[in-house]
Every structure is written in structure tokens, then in C-alpha cells.
Amino acid sequence: MTWKAQFREALHPSRTIEVEDEREFPRHRGDYRAAAVLVPITDRSEPGVILTQRPDWLRSHAGQVAFPGGKIDETDENAVAAALREAEEEIALPRHLVEVLGHADEYRSGSGYRITPVIGVVPADVPLAPNPEEVAEWFEVPLAILFDRANYAQRHVDWQGQRRSYYDMEWQGRRIWGVTAGIIANLARRLTGAS
């Protein structure tokens, strides 16, 4: 089975997993704002996933690794449209070049977002240009490394009087953790059929 077929099968609505996210985190328990991210997978024999590094000077999530994405605007038809728009705005990825395979399980963040991960295939070596207002740089992590659950540590921290768990991974001097790592861990469970 090709890796694209494996993703399509894993994303089929009949396949369910137990989603791990931050919905029980006490900071936010009200209505969640809709958001979407693109999980851009490069179309090559050994595919990779494109991630972004946020600028250090941002007020929110400074310096963190993230997927391209953001809030779903009123003008967006749906989560797919929002993810493609955000990827075009953040890294100049032309939306017409993305082959959408489907979407993964919503991830509820402690900061109040209901995030839909949209899985898309992009041409290998497509030229990208980070928008300096949102992205310091972009990089590609091999799919085999990123979705291997053995490469993640589950960490725990006491924050605001409650125990919080999160996934954490180091790759070539970059720390992938929090919501981004949580989305990856959920998707890895889908791909392996584990719950």
C-alpha cells in the first residue's frame, strides 16, 4: 500500500481513535473558536512534513514550531479552505498545488481553539517563502521520523494548580511539542490503528 493510500484509509470516518487533547485543561471550558491547520506532506518516495517556526518576537507562542494554519474566517467556506488560505499566507504555498487527502480528528486546545488538521500532499521541493510577520522559517521533517511514536516523550508539568500532560520531540535542534505534537500523536495513532 502506498503512503497516500495508507493516509486515506487512516482518515476514513469509520476509523476512530481516542483523541488526546487539552479539552480538560481548566484554562478554557467555554465555546471553542474554530481553527484549521494544514499538515503538508511532500510528494516524494520518502515524504516529509513541512513545519514552521514562529518568530521569537510574537506575543503568542513565540518561537514555537507549528503547522501552517489559524482561525477559520467568516469568508472561509470550511476548514479545508481556511487551512489552504493560511498556508498560502504564511509560507506562500499555492492552494491549487495541494492535494487534500482528508482531515484528522479535531484537537481542542487549552487556549480555546477547536483545530481541524487538514492533511494535504504538496509537490516535492515546491518553492516556499515565509511571511516574516508570521513565520521565521520553515523546515521539513521526514514523515517516518515525525510519525514514529517512539520518537516522542510524554511529559508532565504542574501548571496553574493542575497536572498537565503533553508530547515533546527534539529534531535537529528544534523542539516540537504542545498542540503541534499532540496533533501529530493523534494522527500517528490513526495511522497505526492504535487507540
Side-chain angles (χ1 to χ4, degrees), residues 42-108:
T42 54
D43 193 4
R44 57 177 99 236
S45 59
E46 296 293 327
V49 176
I50 296 170
L51 292 168
T52 66
Q53 181 95 39
R54 294 172 57 84
D56 289 331
W57 54 263
L58 287 177
R59 259 188 21 221
S60 176
H61 309 292
Q64 289 186 5
V65 170
F67 293 112
K71 290 182 255 182
I72 297 177
D73 291 344
E74 290 179 10
T75 56
D76 293 320
E77 183 179 336
N78 52 32
V80 172
L84 296 176
R85 175 186 53 75
E86 287 282 349
E88 197 165 53
E89 290 173 5
E90 291 181 16
I91 57 174
L93 175 60
R95 57 186 93 188
H96 71 276
L97 293 181
V98 181
E99 174 192 352
V100 175
L101 298 180
H103 61 82
D105 306 279
E106 283 186 345
Y107 188 98
R108 295 188 187 240

